[in-house]
Amino acid sequence: MTRPSGRTPDQLREVRITRNFTRHAEGSVLVQFGDTHVLCTASVEEGVPGFLKGKGQGWLTAEYGMLPRSTHTRMAREAAKGKQSGRTQEIQRLIGRSMRAVVDMTALGERQLIIDCDVLQADGGTRTASITGACVAVHDALQGLVTRGVLATSPLRDWVAAISVGVYQGVPVLDLDYPEDSECDTDMNVVMTGSGGFVEVQGTAEGAAFSRQELNSLLELAEGGIGKLVALQKQAVGK
Amino acid sequence: MTRPSGRTPDQLREVRITRNFTRHAEGSVLVQFGDTHVLCTASVEEGVPGFLKGKGQGWLTAEYGMLPRSTHTRMAREAAKGKQSGRTQEIQRLIGRSMRAVVDMTALGERQLIIDCDVLQADGGTRTASITGACVAVHDALQGLVTRGVLATSPLRDWVAAISVGVYQGVPVLDLDYPEDSECDTDMNVVMTGSGGFVEVQGTAEGAAFSRQELNSLLELAEGGIGKLVALQKQAVGK
Amino acid sequence: MTRPSGRTPDQLREVRITRNFTRHAEGSVLVQFGDTHVLCTASVEEGVPGFLKGKGQGWLTAEYGMLPRSTHTRMAREAAKGKQSGRTQEIQRLIGRSMRAVVDMTALGERQLIIDCDVLQADGGTRTASITGACVAVHDALQGLVTRGVLATSPLRDWVAAISVGVYQGVPVLDLDYPEDSECDTDMNVVMTGSGGFVEVQGTAEGAAFSRQELNSLLELAEGGIGKLVALQKQAVGK
Amino acid sequence: MTRPSGRTPDQLREVRITRNFTRHAEGSVLVQFGDTHVLCTASVEEGVPGFLKGKGQGWLTAEYGMLPRSTHTRMAREAAKGKQSGRTQEIQRLIGRSMRAVVDMTALGERQLIIDCDVLQADGGTRTASITGACVAVHDALQGLVTRGVLATSPLRDWVAAISVGVYQGVPVLDLDYPEDSECDTDMNVVMTGSGGFVEVQGTAEGAAFSRQELNSLLELAEGGIGKLVALQKQAVGK
Amino acid sequence: MTRPSGRTPDQLREVRITRNFTRHAEGSVLVQFGDTHVLCTASVEEGVPGFLKGKGQGWLTAEYGMLPRSTHTRMAREAAKGKQSGRTQEIQRLIGRSMRAVVDMTALGERQLIIDCDVLQADGGTRTASITGACVAVHDALQGLVTRGVLATSPLRDWVAAISVGVYQGVPVLDLDYPEDSECDTDMNVVMTGSGGFVEVQGTAEGAAFSRQELNSLLELAEGGIGKLVALQKQAVGK
Amino acid sequence: MTRPSGRTPDQLREVRITRNFTRHAEGSVLVQFGDTHVLCTASVEEGVPGFLKGKGQGWLTAEYGMLPRSTHTRMAREAAKGKQSGRTQEIQRLIGRSMRAVVDMTALGERQLIIDCDVLQADGGTRTASITGACVAVHDALQGLVTRGVLATSPLRDWVAAISVGVYQGVPVLDLDYPEDSECDTDMNVVMTGSGGFVEVQGTAEGAAFSRQELNSLLELAEGGIGKLVALQKQAVGK
């Protein structure tokens, strides 16, 4: 088995994390997993939605979008169609849950973090790149609150990163790109914390059902990949 | 640890599968997982969506809804709000993928199966009940095509069923009801075929991240539960 | 003239009223007019819409829906289409007006009754079954407020029920089922109180216009039918 | 009892029918029932909707709208809100059914009549004025097809007109204006053909239920009023 | 070059301004530029949108619509389609900006002017007719506030009017009607105050780009035309 | 008068045009006017919309969007709100008209160019940057058709670029950034071809109306600026 990219089964694509990619957001990160490029911003707003008012805790929500021509053939613009697809909603809910797992809402206080992940160029794995980049954007936005004296310490309790794994031509491989993704029998997205706990595990049999043993191999690959991603996140912020 | 319902950790709620619950649908099943009641219908329509025309294969799609007062407090009606929630879309996409895993689209021919899962009463686990009931409705709809001489054999290749598992007060438990679901640290939905392969594994850490060991315990519980569900499906259709 | 069902012209279909059909709603009734089955729930919510705040009176509103495969061929799901049809809105407005005619809004106080009528199976006459069932659900919800000591007496001032009548093959007949409904020249829905007053009269010439004499015959049939329905409502609640 | 307008109980408001009010429509009528002014246009389009293609018959549909400031206080513009209200849909469905009752769809051939009723100024009775004016607009549009040699004779089989009646301060009165309409106990809209058949009867108890006797009085008033309206329609077209 | 209407290049169509065209609006004007007829109403509402509360100033907003059969062939009704077109939004934003240029928002106080321009019949130039008519409607609505003693003097600081100009068959012409508009190379809409200042200049090359010299000729034509329109506005209100 | 940026009145911000910014689009340009950064892609699709089929000509359309946190404070995502704002529609219509002015639709043949301008970072002038960048993206997409042998010569007849001008503290200035834009009395957007013809002129008085003389000064500034932009466009593509 040879991967279309020539990578070894447990090899990540080249990952780059560029901070302060745009000016206005409190955290702004361009994350690149090979040819998948996502702009992740974290915005801080004072106040929380109505159902949380007066409860002394913060809130975090996430939105996701793809630029119409981030893909091989142009997709219709969701704003023009007047609705977000089921896939978009599924992904933005996943990003939100992943980030809420590592932010201490009580320490955040009555303010809101809004994460926007917008795909500039897609080549598979946009949701895992989004989570990995968003965590750095959230780090920067929260650090900004500390720097400006709003908070004494950052409410970010741990790192969180995500990677896809799948069975390609019978072999478990890490970090699927688009040519692999479209031919995989089994496809799994794994979200883990820096300290090695699972936040989300989502595996789907695209063709034949998968066995417990395949599941185990895929989880091991993912654990290794996420360890490397967290190291890159720390390096990006100079830790 | 005592479960609110008094069940043992590996005990399913009482499961009932009532076929032919309504008259018009080609397959119509009321599935009850304790106090969770879902009406699952499978409709057969000749023809396929445009993108499949002339390809000699069928299609299967699923929709999900909750009656506004299926829940403890009334939810807004999605038809009146003018959009389906992200949760609704996520669930109906899951039901569709799960059923497509066991229906042979080429054997189905250029016709469409549309599954509707409508929750009449909710007490946790509506998506797993939906998948389990939908499979029987699909069985009946496809059997009808055989009976009417449209197809020689049923395109249903295997059974598929689903169950939730979670860590409740530190103990892995099977088939969460609403009181458990709202307090679980980790919540996992597992979809498997009758022959024991995984179709979907979706685990989420609601509070603290979960370990590989917890994941393994949960998967084992799920495997046991799904075995029982498939036995009940077979019994319901007299096999 | 023989009716497709073999009924006499003034004969209702078999009517069944099942209370407490689901658990969560304050009133929950499955009403069956032959093969037409509607789940009617009445929900009580404290507070009223903004335009009524501080006026010392309650509010009642109704919503109606059909499950996609309640019908002979599957209808598109309104939540998926993103809008309710004109027919749906017309029916839910009718249900709301009918119920408001028998509930004393001042006695109800600043709380809201929300009625949901969801058609599980349709065979003609879903709106008349809805009104007839909703009245029992409202009875139960209001009785619950009395039982819980919130109100001293029930604000339900009278019963209300509804029936369709039409001219089928030249003969006025009561309680049209689907085969009759689709062939009737004139179709009328009548809503009356238990004490014999008219709440709504809606007659439509589907083909030729109808005469005053036909109108009179139809109204007489309806009066007889509604008398029987109110008796069944009372019997259902043990009065 | 004195009516706010000083009219006798069986007196219509001053009714004016102005043909050719705008240039482009095949039929264009400004109808005035006192201070209620509605612009009714009938447009002819070749071809029919998909579900009627090749069946050798025509189609007729109607739409209704109110200009935002046709009313005492400004109403939100439905185009800006992005949806038509239930009331709007109810009225436009009524106009369509009323007109279809007098147009011979087979004689029309595979073409479509689209009626637009737009209220320029409202003072009660906009739906009855709309039907009464739309019939003249349809007459003119169909006559135009005859004049242009497209059809040999007009497919308009009869006239149709509509009027409201209600019980105001205990007395049945004809053609309710806004001050009466907002205080009526019972409100009925009646649509009849020129030859005296009923097309629609829609009576609603706003407060107390109404008796059979009241219903009869109201129907008699309506019959008289519609006779006068049909005479005015004929006079307007010079018959 | 002969204009289809036989007008000279610098000749306006016959312009009529009819005040008090409908009863309920505080200002109601039918403006006619030849066969283009627009009903312009100005509504006064106490209070301002949330973002302006407590700032001691008023607000003015405008909406625009075309009746479905105001045009040569019927257009779909925007309320039925569920959205306003880009063209509609562009025009109503233009009307709003134009009117805000001549109303003193501080003098208006915390109240809102809502302008509705609804095209009854279209023959080119609906936006320029709308602005010209709306100004008179606003004049009347504001004068009403003075008459009723709410304001001491009118917040209308100047007149504002608008006209189209274009290059038709090589010649700059004033006030394009539909036959000219659809064949013009360059089309410009100009909005000016009574004292001769520019409020909006919007020129578009439909085919070939236009030169600075053409632009100058067109602006001169427009200045002349707007002078005449302002004179007609003043005459209409008796000044 | 000193500009916030320290620029002279007729000085553009630093303009950068980066081609091939993303991989998939036939033309992909990042255009930067100082801190305003817009990603412009041009997509080529075979075939045209229905109304143009068989007419032997192509079509060009444009869409525009802002990433939610491209701005100082986060804006709601249009895809989540379910509609594009009036401003968005106005801008995308302007981009489309501007580009259609320089593309020969007959030479393009029955294919479609779709332009997407997505603002990554906003600091005023996003519409003028969009047009300027889009022209280079279109150039590249059309050149690609020539390179691939689909067309013999490029249908791009001329360059087109756009710039804003305004009166800031009484002085006409070129290329407004956000701090200037929000304080300008008069704001004008000018679109011109490489050969010096005007395609669009849109001037708006934000406060006081502007004079003919101010208009002339602004146009002169714009002419100078666009000359420089076209030179940069040519330089970017190596001409």
Side-chain angles (χ1 to χ4, degrees):
Chain A
M1 190 279 311
T2 309
R3 300 181 72 171
S5 60
R7 284 184 282 151
T8 60
D10 63 349
Q11 191 180 348
L12 291 172
R13 288 177 281 183
E14 186 180 6
V15 173
R16 289 193 195 173
I17 295 172
T18 308
R19 293 162 72 204
N20 303 317
F21 187 73
T22 56
R23 292 177 68 96
H24 302 308
E26 284 73 26
S28 173
V29 166
L30 179 73
V31 62
Q32 293 167 296
F33 279 29
D35 277 334
T36 290
H37 302 176
V38 185
L39 173 52
C40 307
T41 59
S43 299
V44 179
E45 294 184 359
E46 292 301 309
V48 285
F51 69 94
L52 279 179
K53 264 179 195 148
K55 302 204 170 163
Q57 66 173 99
W59 185 237
L60 182 155
T61 190
E63 291 186 359
Y64 169 92
M66 298 183 85
L67 294 197
R69 196 55 199 282
S70 59
T71 45
H72 286 76
T73 57
R74 188 179 181 273
M75 297 189 321
R77 183 179 290 267
E78 290 189 333
K81 285 197 300 183
K83 60 187 280 191
Q84 294 178 297
S85 72
R87 176 185 173 277
T88 291
Q89 293 194 54
E90 204 170 293
I91 293 176
Q92 64 194 13
R93 284 159 56 88
L94 172 65
I95 299 170
R97 285 199 307 272
S98 298
M99 294 311 308
R100 283 193 292 271
V102 293
V103 174
D104 182 334
M105 290 302 162
T106 306
L108 180 58
E110 294 214 351
R111 52 184 62 84
Q112 196 171 0
L113 278 172
I114 305 171
I115 295 164
D116 288 287
C117 295
D118 285 277
V119 178
L120 304 187
Q121 186 176 284
D123 187 42
T126 63
R127 79 188 70 189
T128 54
S130 292
I131 291 167
T132 304
C135 186
V136 179
V138 165
H139 169 276
D140 288 358
L142 292 176
Q143 205 56 46
L145 290 174
V146 174
T147 305
R148 284 164 34 218
V150 178
L151 295 177
T153 56
S154 170
L156 190 69
R157 299 184 302 194
D158 200 347
W159 293 93
V160 67
I163 201 67
S164 69
V165 283
V167 179
Y168 178 73
Q169 298 188 350
V171 180
V173 297
L174 182 72
D175 189 17
L176 310 172
D177 55 27
Y178 181 78
E180 290 168 336
D181 195 19
S182 44
E183 280 189 42
C184 259
D185 278 343
T186 296
D187 179 5
M188 184 173 292
N189 290 293
V190 180
V191 185
M192 296 180 74
T193 60
S195 49
F198 289 94
V199 171
E200 290 270 343
V201 173
Q202 297 193 339
T204 299
E206 294 292 339
F210 54 92
S211 67
R212 185 72 178 278
Q213 190 180 344
E214 283 171 316
L215 179 59
N216 286 338
S217 309
L218 291 171
L219 289 171
E220 260 143 53
L221 264 182
E223 286 181 89
I226 286 177
K228 289 174 197 157
L229 290 173
V230 173
L232 288 165
Q233 288 175 323
K234 290 179 180 168
Q235 180 186 319
V237 304
K239 285 193 179 156
Chain B
M1 189 277 315
T2 308
R3 300 180 72 170
S5 60
R7 285 185 281 150
T8 59
D10 64 349
Q11 191 181 349
L12 291 172
R13 288 177 281 183
E14 187 179 7
V15 173
R16 289 194 196 173
I17 296 172
T18 306
R19 293 162 72 204
N20 303 316
F21 187 72
T22 56
R23 292 176 69 95
H24 302 308
E26 284 72 27
S28 174
V29 165
L30 180 73
V31 63
Q32 294 169 295
F33 279 29
D35 277 334
T36 290
H37 301 177
V38 185
L39 174 51
C40 307
T41 60
S43 299
V44 178
E45 293 184 359
E46 292 302 310
V48 285
F51 70 96
L52 280 179
K53 265 180 196 145
K55 302 207 169 160
Q57 66 172 98
W59 185 239
L60 182 155
T61 190
E63 292 186 357
Y64 168 93
M66 300 184 85
L67 294 197
R69 196 55 199 281
S70 59
T71 43
H72 285 78
T73 56
R74 188 178 181 276
M75 297 188 321
R77 184 179 290 266
E78 290 188 334
K81 283 197 299 181
K83 60 187 280 190
Q84 294 179 295
S85 71
R87 177 186 173 276
T88 291
Q89 292 194 57
E90 203 170 294
I91 293 175
Q92 65 193 12
R93 283 159 58 90
L94 172 65
I95 299 170
R97 284 199 308 272
S98 298
M99 294 312 307
R100 281 194 292 272
V102 293
V103 174
D104 181 333
M105 290 302 162
T106 306
L108 179 57
E110 293 214 351
R111 53 184 60 85
Q112 196 171 0
L113 278 172
I114 306 171
I115 294 164
D116 288 287
C117 294
D118 285 276
V119 179
L120 305 187
Q121 187 176 281
D123 187 43
T126 63
R127 78 188 72 189
T128 55
S130 292
I131 291 165
T132 305
C135 186
V136 179
V138 166
H139 169 276
D140 288 358
L142 292 176
Q143 206 55 48
L145 289 174
V146 174
T147 304
R148 284 164 34 217
V150 177
L151 296 177
T153 56
S154 171
L156 189 70
R157 300 186 302 196
D158 200 346
W159 293 94
V160 68
I163 201 67
S164 68
V165 283
V167 179
Y168 178 74
Q169 298 187 349
V171 180
V173 297
L174 181 72
D175 188 18
L176 309 172
D177 54 26
Y178 181 77
E180 291 169 336
D181 194 20
S182 44
E183 281 189 40
C184 258
D185 277 344
T186 296
D187 179 6
M188 184 171 294
N189 291 293
V190 180
V191 185
M192 295 180 76
T193 61
S195 48
F198 290 94
V199 172
E200 289 270 343
V201 173
Q202 297 194 339
T204 299
E206 294 293 338
F210 55 93
S211 68
R212 185 70 177 279
Q213 189 181 344
E214 282 171 316
L215 178 59
N216 286 337
S217 308
L218 291 171
L219 289 171
E220 260 144 52
L221 263 182
E223 285 182 90
I226 286 177
K228 289 175 197 156
L229 290 173
V230 173
L232 287 165
Q233 288 174 323
K234 289 178 180 169
Q235 181 185 317
V237 303
K239 284 193 179 158
Chain C
M1 191 277 313
T2 308
R3 300 180 73 170
S5 59
R7 284 184 281 151
T8 58
D10 64 349
Q11 191 180 348
L12 291 172
R13 288 177 282 183
E14 188 180 4
V15 173
R16 288 193 197 174
I17 295 172
T18 306
R19 294 162 71 202
N20 303 318
F21 187 73
T22 56
R23 291 177 69 96
H24 302 308
E26 284 72 25
S28 173
V29 166
L30 179 72
V31 63
Q32 293 168 295
F33 279 29
D35 277 334
T36 289
H37 302 176
V38 185
L39 173 51
C40 307
T41 59
S43 299
V44 178
E45 293 184 358
E46 292 301 310
V48 285
F51 70 94
L52 279 179
K53 264 181 196 147
K55 302 207 170 161
Q57 66 173 98
W59 186 238
L60 182 154
T61 190
E63 291 186 357
Y64 168 93
M66 299 183 84
L67 295 197
R69 197 53 199 283
S70 58
T71 44
H72 287 77
T73 56
R74 186 176 183 276
M75 297 189 321
R77 184 180 290 266
E78 289 188 334
K81 284 197 299 181
K83 60 187 279 190
Q84 294 179 296
S85 71
R87 178 186 171 275
T88 291
Q89 293 194 55
E90 204 171 292
I91 293 176
Q92 66 193 11
R93 284 159 57 88
L94 173 65
I95 299 169
R97 285 199 308 272
S98 298
M99 295 310 309
R100 283 194 291 272
V102 293
V103 174
D104 181 335
M105 290 302 161
T106 306
L108 179 57
E110 293 214 351
R111 54 184 61 83
Q112 195 171 1
L113 277 172
I114 305 171
I115 295 164
D116 288 288
C117 295
D118 285 277
V119 178
L120 305 187
Q121 185 176 284
D123 187 42
T126 63
R127 80 188 70 189
T128 54
S130 292
I131 292 166
T132 305
C135 186
V136 179
V138 166
H139 169 276
D140 288 358
L142 292 176
Q143 205 54 48
L145 289 174
V146 174
T147 304
R148 283 164 36 218
V150 177
L151 295 178
T153 56
S154 170
L156 189 70
R157 300 185 302 194
D158 200 346
W159 293 94
V160 68
I163 201 67
S164 68
V165 283
V167 179
Y168 179 72
Q169 297 189 350
V171 180
V173 298
L174 182 71
D175 189 17
L176 309 173
D177 54 27
Y178 180 77
E180 291 169 334
D181 195 19
S182 43
E183 281 190 39
C184 260
D185 277 344
T186 296
D187 180 4
M188 183 172 293
N189 290 293
V190 179
V191 185
M192 296 180 74
T193 61
S195 49
F198 289 93
V199 171
E200 288 270 343
V201 172
Q202 298 194 339
T204 299
E206 294 292 339
F210 54 92
S211 67
R212 185 70 178 279
Q213 191 181 342
E214 282 171 316
L215 178 59
N216 286 337
S217 307
L218 291 171
L219 289 171
E220 259 142 54
L221 264 181
E223 286 182 88
I226 286 177
K228 289 174 198 158
L229 289 173
V230 172
L232 287 164
Q233 289 174 322
K234 289 180 180 168
Q235 180 184 318
V237 303
K239 283 191 181 159
Chain D
M1 190 275 317
T2 308
R3 301 180 73 170
S5 60
R7 284 184 282 151
T8 59
D10 64 348
Q11 190 181 350
L12 291 172
R13 289 177 281 183
E14 186 178 7
V15 173
R16 287 192 195 175
I17 296 171
T18 307
R19 294 162 73 204
N20 304 316
F21 187 73
T22 56
R23 292 176 68 95
H24 302 308
E26 284 73 26
S28 173
V29 165
L30 179 73
V31 62
Q32 294 169 295
F33 279 27
D35 277 334
T36 290
H37 302 176
V38 185
L39 173 51
C40 307
T41 60
S43 299
V44 178
E45 293 185 357
E46 291 301 310
V48 285
F51 69 96
L52 279 179
K53 264 179 196 149
K55 302 208 171 160
Q57 65 173 98
W59 186 238
L60 182 155
T61 190
E63 292 186 357
Y64 169 92
M66 299 183 84
L67 294 197
R69 197 53 199 282
S70 59
T71 43
H72 286 77
T73 56
R74 188 177 181 275
M75 296 188 320
R77 183 179 291 265
E78 290 189 333
K81 284 196 301 182
K83 60 187 282 192
Q84 295 179 295
S85 71
R87 177 186 173 276
T88 291
Q89 292 195 55
E90 203 170 293
I91 292 175
Q92 64 193 13
R93 285 160 55 90
L94 172 65
I95 299 170
R97 285 199 306 273
S98 299
M99 294 311 307
R100 282 193 292 272
V102 294
V103 174
D104 182 334
M105 290 302 163
T106 307
L108 179 58
E110 293 213 351
R111 53 184 60 84
Q112 197 172 359
L113 278 173
I114 305 172
I115 294 164
D116 288 288
C117 295
D118 285 277
V119 178
L120 305 187
Q121 185 175 284
D123 187 42
T126 64
R127 78 189 71 189
T128 54
S130 292
I131 292 166
T132 304
C135 186
V136 179
V138 165
H139 170 276
D140 288 357
L142 293 176
Q143 205 56 47
L145 289 174
V146 174
T147 304
R148 284 162 37 216
V150 177
L151 295 177
T153 57
S154 170
L156 190 70
R157 299 185 305 196
D158 201 347
W159 293 94
V160 67
I163 201 68
S164 68
V165 283
V167 179
Y168 178 72
Q169 297 188 350
V171 180
V173 297
L174 182 72
D175 189 18
L176 310 172
D177 54 27
Y178 181 76
E180 290 169 336
D181 195 19
S182 43
E183 281 190 40
C184 258
D185 277 343
T186 297
D187 179 5
M188 183 172 295
N189 290 293
V190 180
V191 185
M192 296 180 76
T193 60
S195 49
F198 289 94
V199 172
E200 289 270 344
V201 172
Q202 297 193 339
T204 299
E206 294 292 340
F210 55 92
S211 68
R212 185 72 177 279
Q213 190 181 345
E214 283 171 316
L215 178 58
N216 285 337
S217 308
L218 291 171
L219 289 171
E220 260 144 52
L221 264 182
E223 285 181 271
I226 287 177
K228 289 175 197 156
L229 290 173
V230 173
L232 288 164
Q233 288 175 322
K234 289 179 181 169
Q235 180 186 318
V237 303
K239 283 192 180 157
Chain E
M1 190 278 312
T2 309
R3 301 181 71 171
S5 59
R7 285 185 281 151
T8 59
D10 64 348
Q11 190 180 349
L12 291 172
R13 288 176 283 183
E14 187 180 4
V15 174
R16 289 193 196 174
I17 296 172
T18 306
R19 294 162 71 204
N20 303 316
F21 187 72
T22 56
R23 292 177 68 96
H24 302 308
E26 285 72 26
S28 174
V29 165
L30 180 73
V31 63
Q32 294 168 294
F33 278 30
D35 276 334
T36 289
H37 301 176
V38 185
L39 173 51
C40 307
T41 60
S43 299
V44 178
E45 293 184 358
E46 293 301 309
V48 285
F51 69 95
L52 279 179
K53 266 182 193 145
K55 302 206 170 162
Q57 65 173 99
W59 185 238
L60 182 154
T61 191
E63 291 186 357
Y64 169 91
M66 298 183 85
L67 294 198
R69 197 54 199 283
S70 59
T71 45
H72 286 76
T73 57
R74 187 178 181 275
M75 297 188 322
R77 184 179 291 266
E78 290 189 331
K81 284 196 300 181
K83 61 188 278 192
Q84 294 179 296
S85 71
R87 177 186 172 276
T88 291
Q89 293 194 56
E90 203 169 294
I91 293 175
Q92 64 193 11
R93 285 159 57 89
L94 172 65
I95 299 169
R97 285 199 307 273
S98 299
M99 294 311 309
R100 282 194 291 273
V102 292
V103 174
D104 181 334
M105 290 302 162
T106 307
L108 179 58
E110 293 214 350
R111 53 184 62 84
Q112 197 170 1
L113 277 173
I114 306 171
I115 294 164
D116 288 287
C117 295
D118 285 276
V119 178
L120 305 187
Q121 186 176 284
D123 187 43
T126 63
R127 80 188 70 188
T128 53
S130 292
I131 291 166
T132 305
C135 186
V136 179
V138 165
H139 169 277
D140 288 357
L142 293 175
Q143 205 56 46
L145 289 173
V146 174
T147 305
R148 284 164 35 217
V150 177
L151 295 178
T153 57
S154 170
L156 189 69
R157 299 185 301 195
D158 199 347
W159 293 93
V160 68
I163 200 68
S164 68
V165 282
V167 179
Y168 179 74
Q169 299 189 349
V171 180
V173 296
L174 181 72
D175 188 17
L176 309 172
D177 55 28
Y178 181 77
E180 290 168 337
D181 195 19
S182 43
E183 281 189 39
C184 259
D185 277 343
T186 296
D187 180 5
M188 182 172 293
N189 290 293
V190 180
V191 185
M192 296 180 75
T193 60
S195 48
F198 289 94
V199 171
E200 289 270 343
V201 173
Q202 297 194 339
T204 299
E206 294 293 339
F210 54 92
S211 67
R212 184 71 179 279
Q213 189 181 346
E214 282 171 316
L215 179 58
N216 286 338
S217 308
L218 290 171
L219 289 171
E220 261 144 52
L221 263 182
E223 287 181 269
I226 286 177
K228 289 175 196 156
L229 290 173
V230 173
L232 288 164
Q233 288 175 324
K234 290 179 180 167
Q235 179 185 320
V237 303
K239 284 189 180 157
Chain F
M1 191 276 314
T2 309
R3 299 181 73 170
S5 59
R7 284 185 282 151
T8 59
D10 64 349
Q11 190 180 351
L12 291 173
R13 289 176 280 184
E14 185 179 9
V15 173
R16 288 192 195 176
I17 295 172
T18 307
R19 292 163 72 205
N20 303 317
F21 187 72
T22 56
R23 291 177 69 93
H24 302 308
E26 284 72 28
S28 173
V29 165
L30 179 73
V31 62
Q32 294 169 294
F33 278 30
D35 277 333
T36 289
H37 301 177
V38 185
L39 173 51
C40 307
T41 60
S43 299
V44 178
E45 293 184 359
E46 291 302 310
V48 285
F51 69 95
L52 279 179
K53 265 179 195 147
K55 301 206 171 162
Q57 66 173 98
W59 185 237
L60 182 154
T61 190
E63 292 186 358
Y64 169 92
M66 299 183 85
L67 294 197
R69 196 55 199 281
S70 58
T71 44
H72 286 76
T73 57
R74 188 178 181 274
M75 296 188 321
R77 184 179 290 266
E78 290 189 333
K81 285 197 300 182
K83 59 188 281 192
Q84 294 179 296
S85 71
R87 175 185 174 278
T88 291
Q89 293 195 55
E90 202 168 294
I91 293 175
Q92 64 193 13
R93 284 159 57 89
L94 172 65
I95 299 169
R97 283 199 308 272
S98 299
M99 294 311 307
R100 281 194 292 273
V102 293
V103 174
D104 181 333
M105 289 302 161
T106 306
L108 179 57
E110 293 214 350
R111 52 184 60 84
Q112 198 171 359
L113 277 172
I114 306 172
I115 294 164
D116 288 287
C117 295
D118 285 277
V119 178
L120 305 187
Q121 186 176 283
D123 186 43
T126 64
R127 80 188 71 189
T128 53
S130 292
I131 291 166
T132 305
C135 186
V136 178
V138 166
H139 169 276
D140 288 358
L142 292 176
Q143 204 57 47
L145 290 174
V146 174
T147 304
R148 283 163 37 217
V150 177
L151 295 177
T153 56
S154 170
L156 190 69
R157 299 185 302 194
D158 200 345
W159 293 94
V160 68
I163 200 67
S164 68
V165 283
V167 179
Y168 179 73
Q169 298 188 350
V171 180
V173 297
L174 181 73
D175 188 17
L176 309 172
D177 55 27
Y178 182 77
E180 290 168 337
D181 194 21
S182 44
E183 281 189 41
C184 259
D185 277 344
T186 296
D187 179 5
M188 182 172 294
N189 290 293
V190 179
V191 185
M192 295 180 76
T193 61
S195 48
F198 290 93
V199 172
E200 288 270 343
V201 173
Q202 297 193 339
T204 298
E206 295 292 339
F210 54 93
S211 67
R212 184 73 177 277
Q213 189 182 345
E214 282 171 317
L215 179 58
N216 285 337
S217 308
L218 291 171
L219 289 171
E220 260 144 52
L221 264 181
E223 285 181 270
I226 286 176
K228 289 174 196 156
L229 289 173
V230 173
L232 289 164
Q233 289 174 323
K234 289 178 181 170
Q235 179 185 320
V237 303
K239 285 194 178 156

